[in-house]
Amino acid sequence: MATFLYKIGRMSFRRRHFVALIWVALLTLAGVGAASAPAAGNSSFSIPGTEAQKAFDLLEQRFPGTSADGATARVVFKAPSGEKMTDPGNKATVRETVKELSDGSEVVRVTDPYQAKAVSKDGTVAYAQVSYKVSGMELEDSSRDALEDTAQDARKAGLTVEIGGDALQTVPHTGTTEIIGIAVAAVVLVITFGSLVAAGLPLLTALVGVGIGVSAITALASALDLGSTTSTLAMMIGLAVGIDYALFIVSRYRAELAEGRDREEAAGRAVGTAGSAVVFAGLTVVIALVGLSVVNIPMLTKMGVAAAGTVAIAVLIALTMVPALLGYAGRRVKPAGEKGKLLGRSKKQDQPAKPNLGSRWASFVVRRPVAVLLLGVIGLGAAAVPAASLELGLPDDGSQPTSTTQRRAYDLLSEGFGPGFNGPLMVVVDARDSDDPKAAFTQVGDEIKGLKDVVTVTPPAPNKAGDTATITVIPDSKPSSVATEDLVHSIRDKGAGIKADSDANVLVTGQTAMNIDVSEKLNDALIPYLVLVVGLAFLLLIVVFRSILVPLKAALGFLLSVMAALGAVVAVFQWGWLADLMGVEQTGPVMSMMPIFMVGVVFGLAMDYEVFLVTRMREAYVHGETAGQAVVTGFRHGARVVTAAAVIMMAVFAGFIGSSESMVKMIGFGLAIAVFFDAFVVRMAIVPAVLALLGRKAWWLPKWLDRALPNVDVEGEGLRSDTDRGDQDRELVRA
């Protein structure tokens, strides 16, 4: 591996014009493809295997043209103080609004509040429900604009008008946060390298990689039904790992220059050694992202595969384009220890090298491994305690900031009709196999009325064939509550008995039921996903480090950091600790996608630091240093780079905390705190402490397994032998 990558690095440095031309051509090709591709809307959203999805599919068959899974909007009206919605003037305004709403090209129907009895008992609040042909993720912007414009016209007449439902559901734009992340990355890189040129290389190559990846996704979006949401994760992860991988190569290149090697040789050795770490780190990220397919949510699978493709591009760019650009940079990239004119004078050649901060810290840990290990484990354990109270759910309008129209509509409906009105359940009764469908419909309604936490049960509404009916159930509790979740399960339990009595199938669906099913699906997939991702990465790391205990330690350390990060998320977003500081307006259940999303993303990124840091230790150990000396050597060369990479990653993720979307805010905080725990507590403290305690045993591998495993030579032993022989030959020629 090291020898092959060494040749690639030298070839890319030497043939830099050709390599640069290839990448520019690929970027141009992807850009042209993206520009000429048909515009893709949002991808279709379905959750195969869930009861709610089965009910939606059944409704499409038995109630054709009703768009059962289409978007809905609730336009909520509140009368001015001292007036009622039944007053003639207010009535006229509402009916005019209903008429305007019905004109939309994607609108299926709009209910009149006065005909549908959708006026509160005190007469102050009313609502009109708008049903669309397509889901909220697929709704055209023109339909959303028409909805908001119509509501604004009603406001001018003196009514308070707010809009709830999923029709206004949009993907948050994150362009500002990306700019902030890139700006922080630039500052960190300049401080790390002391040179604008050296700092600019990782940024340039990362942007090229993300440009190719996102453009390719855009070009294929319509054909593969990727949608506009798929590129979000690809852009975020591609930017982060692209900077990190290039940072690793440039840092090793400068270290090789400091040892006196010429620039082409330094580029080859940088790619042969640090490039090996990049390849295997990239493989762990790809495994983690592609592994999201085990959840069996198509949208999540597409996001994971697209992001994995962008990571693969970042790896290829780091191995080829980075050494090519180093060839163009020439002497403007200084050896390690020297600073450009930007940050100070160069170090004198005869000046002895002083131990850097990484070396001093590693030496301290090697001397006090037990104390450092206990402090790190206890600290992470304490941070993880709140995770025991983790409650999962999907966000609804009640979790939106109070400044949004969705949240204000939610509050108005709760005020006028009760909290459960924001999460109605749709019960579908399939009585095609029943001898008496009408009796089955009546039995279902009666059974549901007797359940706890039920406020209203509407009469069954059968289809034209009379073999299927829908029943709307209004819970007493808000949609995201445990009581509503229990009610859904209670109805389904009743359905099993009804099936035995009348051969009628009872299915519960609706947005609230769908959210509950998705949460359970994600929760059930978490353990298989962990086993798959951690298991495959464990096997990969055994090949990389030729050790059993080092990969085991890496996996256990990752689990510690993820549990601590989940604990921090629960403390802030569920318990409300530091909620004001983080801008959290409404506490509630943690987004159900958060644990599995955090595991996938953070695991891949954490293994980057593990591979880069520990391969330097492995390299030093293989080349004759003691286990303790190897830890210090690894930190001397890698601590500064890993610290810079982690700070960049945290900056990218932390920028999302400022988002107005609670889901985006939670993801940003969770990933940023997870990277902090993993990079600075696990990799910088627990890892060296464990390796110091294990000593030589850390690198133990059974002989039979050693013979069976392929020798990928990540530490570059074969590379050293080849180059040493080449140096001897050159010395003989000179003599």
Side-chain angles (χ1 to χ4, degrees):
M1 171 72 80
T3 304
F4 173 71
L5 294 177
Y6 165 79
K7 293 177 181 178
I8 289 179
R10 292 197 63 164
M11 183 274 293
S12 300
F13 186 95
R14 191 167 55 251
R15 305 257 180 110
R16 47 188 171 270
H17 302 307
F18 177 69
V19 172
L21 182 62
I22 288 178
W23 284 112
V24 170
L26 288 174
L27 179 61
T28 304
L29 183 64
V32 170
S36 59
N42 293 294
S43 58
S44 56
F45 185 79
S46 63
I47 313 295
T50 61
E51 180 172 316
Q53 186 64 50
K54 291 176 183 176
F56 278 138
D57 296 339
L58 181 65
L59 287 171
E60 288 291 339
Q61 297 173 12
R62 307 288 174 83
F63 293 82
T66 58
S67 301
D69 59 348
T72 59
R74 281 181 169 178
V75 182
V76 187
F77 307 90
K78 184 175 182 180
S81 179
E83 298 182 17
K84 294 185 180 295
M85 291 305 305
T86 51
D87 294 345
N90 295 334
K91 222 176 197 181
T93 300
V94 171
R95 283 183 166 155
E96 180 62 28
T97 302
V98 169
K99 182 179 178 182
E100 291 181 21
L101 290 171
S102 303
D103 294 336
S105 60
E106 292 184 307
V107 174
V108 175
R109 62 185 173 276
V110 182
T111 60
D112 185 315
Y114 305 103
Q115 294 179 0
K117 298 181 180 179
V119 181
S120 63
K121 289 182 179 179
D122 62 4
T124 59
V125 179
Y127 73 91
Q129 181 152 311
V130 187
S131 300
Y132 292 89
K133 298 176 183 177
V134 296
S135 69
M137 300 292 286
E138 300 172 287
L139 202 62
E140 296 289 340
D141 289 339
S142 58
S143 294
R144 294 192 182 96
D145 293 340
L147 180 63
E148 292 174 330
D149 291 343
T150 304
Q152 185 58 37
D153 291 340
R155 291 188 187 105
K156 292 177 182 177
L159 297 177
T160 298
V161 186
E162 305 296 346
I163 306 170
D166 60 348
L168 294 184
Q169 179 182 3
T170 57
V171 179
H173 297 288
T174 55
T176 304
T177 59
E178 290 159 12
I179 293 171
I180 293 172
I182 292 173
V184 173
V187 172
V188 173
L189 289 169
V190 169
I191 294 173
T192 302
F193 292 139
S195 163
L196 284 175
V197 174
L201 288 179
L203 287 175
L204 176 61
T205 55
L207 290 174
V208 170
V210 168
I212 293 174
V214 172
S215 296
I217 290 170
T218 304
L220 298 172
S222 179
L224 301 181
D225 191 28
L226 298 180
S228 58
T229 61
T230 311
S231 61
T232 303
L233 180 63
M235 183 180 296
M236 182 170 65
I237 303 302
L239 184 64
V241 301
I243 294 174
D244 277 7
Y245 295 163
L247 171 63
F248 295 161
I249 300 290
V250 174
S251 176
R252 186 59 183 256
Y253 172 76
R254 296 177 71 238
E256 296 294 338
L257 288 179
E259 293 183 10
R261 294 185 173 86
D262 65 67
R263 293 186 177 274
E264 183 178 330
E265 177 69 14
R269 291 183 68 88
V271 176
T273 51
S276 298
V278 166
V279 168
F280 284 99
L283 276 176
T284 60
V285 180
V286 168
I287 288 172
L289 292 170
V290 173
L292 289 171
S293 59
V294 303
V295 183
N296 195 27
I297 295 179
M299 186 180 69
L300 195 59
T301 299
K302 292 173 185 178
M303 290 176 67
V305 172
T310 307
V311 171
I313 293 171
V315 171
L316 293 174
I317 283 182
L319 299 179
T320 57
M321 190 176 184
V322 170
L325 293 181
L326 288 172
Y328 284 117
R331 296 184 179 276
R332 288 186 290 273
V333 177
K334 306 291 183 182
E338 293 189 17
K339 295 181 179 179
K341 295 179 181 179
L342 181 67
L343 290 183
R345 296 175 297 177
S346 299
K347 181 184 72 174
K348 296 180 180 179
Q349 293 294 327
D350 57 350
Q351 182 179 343
K354 296 180 180 180
N356 60 18
L357 182 60
S359 298
R360 295 196 295 272
W361 168 250
S363 298
F364 170 78
V365 175
V366 169
R367 291 195 305 270
R368 302 282 189 275
V370 176
V372 172
L373 178 61
L374 288 177
L375 187 62
V377 172
I378 292 173
L380 290 178
V385 168
S389 302
L390 177 66
E391 294 178 8
L392 297 178
L394 286 179
D396 55 28
D397 287 347
S399 62
Q400 297 269 15
T402 53
S403 58
T404 63
T405 186
Q406 295 97 318
R407 173 60 187 277
R408 291 196 292 265
Y410 180 97
D411 292 341
L412 283 177
L413 286 172
S414 296
E415 174 189 331
F417 301 93
F421 202 80
N422 284 287
L425 305 175
M426 180 182 289
V427 178
V428 182
V429 186
D430 178 8
R432 176 168 285 185
D433 298 330
S434 176
D435 295 332
D436 189 352
K438 290 185 178 180
F441 301 155
T442 303
Q443 181 185 359
V444 172
D446 292 341
E447 293 276 4
I448 294 174
K449 288 177 183 176
L451 293 175
K452 182 182 177 182
D453 203 51
V454 172
V455 174
T456 304
V457 178
T458 64
N463 62 349
K464 290 183 179 179
D467 59 5
T468 307
T470 60
I471 300 172
T472 301
V473 180
I474 305 298
D476 188 37
S477 306
K478 63 181 183 179
S480 60
S481 67
V482 176
T484 300
E485 183 177 345
D486 291 341
L487 176 59
V488 170
H489 291 305
S490 296
I491 296 173
R492 288 172 175 169
D493 291 341
K494 288 289 185 182
I498 293 170
K499 170 70 174 175
D501 293 340
S502 62
D503 290 327
N505 289 318
V506 179
L507 303 172
V508 185
T509 188
Q511 190 61 49
T512 301
M514 178 66 83
N515 287 351
I516 291 170
D517 286 352
V518 171
S519 297
E520 292 179 352
K521 191 177 182 71
L522 288 166
N523 196 37
D524 293 342
L526 183 58
I527 298 301
Y529 178 68
L530 264 176
V531 171
L532 173 68
V533 171
V534 177
L536 288 176
F538 179 76
L539 296 176
L540 186 65
L541 293 179
I542 289 178
V543 175
V544 174
F545 297 129
R546 306 197 76 77
S547 163
I548 297 292
L549 297 179
V550 170
L552 181 62
K553 173 265 311 167
L556 293 176
F558 157 74
L559 292 175
L560 261 180
S561 61
V562 166
M563 290 305 298
L566 279 175
V569 169
V570 170
V572 173
F573 292 90
Q574 191 174 307
W575 291 0
W577 293 6
L578 303 178
D580 293 338
L581 181 63
M582 295 294 170
V584 179
E585 296 186 21
Q586 181 71 35
T587 59
V590 172
M591 184 183 65
S592 54
M593 196 179 294
M594 193 70 195
I596 202 164
F597 186 80
M598 186 180 291
V599 166
V601 175
V602 177
F603 181 79
L605 301 179
M607 292 304 103
D608 285 359
Y609 310 139
E610 176 76 16
V611 170
F612 186 77
L613 195 60
V614 180
T615 47
R616 291 305 296 258
M617 299 177 192
R618 169 77 181 170
E619 183 180 341
Y621 179 77
V622 168
H623 292 159
E625 293 187 10
T626 65
Q629 290 172 336
V631 172
V632 177
T633 299
F635 267 75
R636 182 172 70 249
H637 293 295
R640 183 182 180 91
V641 179
V642 170
T643 299
V647 171
I648 290 170
M649 202 81 68
M650 289 168 59
V652 172
F653 294 144
F656 289 82
I657 297 175
S659 173
S660 61
E661 291 282 339
S662 60
M663 181 175 69
V664 176
K665 186 189 296 288
M666 190 181 296
I667 289 175
F669 173 80
L671 294 183
I673 198 71
V675 170
F676 172 78
F677 285 147
D678 198 272
F680 294 106
V681 181
V682 174
R683 309 303 154 192
M684 292 292 186
I686 293 178
V687 166
V690 171
L691 292 178
L693 287 172
L694 291 174
R696 293 171 57 90
K697 295 177 183 177
W699 309 108
W700 169 80
L701 187 69
K703 291 183 179 180
W704 63 268
L705 186 56
D706 187 38
R707 290 191 298 269
L709 291 177
N711 184 11
V712 296
D713 189 25
V714 176
E715 64 275 358
E717 181 61 31
L719 177 60
R720 170 175 285 202
S721 300
D722 291 343
T723 53
D724 287 347
R725 283 194 296 271
D727 291 341
Q728 292 173 0
D729 292 343
R730 284 190 289 273
E731 289 177 3
L732 289 173
V733 170
R734 284 196 295 270

